[in-house]
Amino acid sequence: MKIVTVCGMGFGTSLMLLMDIQSIAKGHGYEVNGEAVDLGSAKGMSCDFMVASSEISTELQDEPMEVISINNLLDKDEIESKVMPIIKRLAEKG
């Protein structure tokens, strides 16, 4: 499973978000591959789903995959509650 995390510059926030998601997923027994990118690079990328801040996610609404919007990037409970259902659903599909 591949995810893309997105922020304005492609390092910092998106990398922190990717590391949090990978840690959360690992805690549930899932391995998640991912890439942290900037908004311009994210458009047109191939992945299972994207995760971004609520401000950035509005810019990704035309992407064909599901885009998860995170309101508080420091709130791991919010990240887990929004991302884990998708990870579980994708893992079940195989």
Side-chain angles (χ1 to χ4, degrees):
M1 158 180 346
K2 180 182 177 185
I3 67 168
V4 170
T5 56
V6 186
C7 71
M9 298 298 287
F11 50 87
T13 303
S14 59
L15 184 58
M16 179 188 75
L17 186 57
L18 177 60
M19 291 170 53
D20 284 345
I21 292 169
Q22 288 176 320
S23 176
I24 290 167
K26 186 175 182 178
H28 288 270
Y30 298 100
E31 182 177 341
V32 173
N33 296 312
E35 191 172 349
V37 301
D38 66 277
L39 179 58
S41 299
K43 294 182 178 182
M45 286 188 78
S46 176
C47 63
D48 292 308
F49 66 97
M50 292 184 175
V51 185
S53 69
S54 55
E55 296 84 11
I56 297 287
S57 66
T58 59
E59 300 291 326
L60 297 167
Q61 295 307 310
D62 293 335
E63 296 302 309
M65 72 289 294
E66 194 166 359
V67 178
I68 307 303
S69 175
I70 304 295
N71 295 316
N72 182 351
L73 296 169
L74 300 177
D75 185 350
K76 291 185 181 180
D77 290 335
E78 179 191 2
I79 296 168
E80 183 172 359
S81 69
K82 290 183 174 178
V83 171
M84 278 313 300
I86 298 166
I87 290 173
K88 288 178 181 176
R89 185 179 71 225
L90 290 171
E92 289 173 5
K93 280 184 175 178

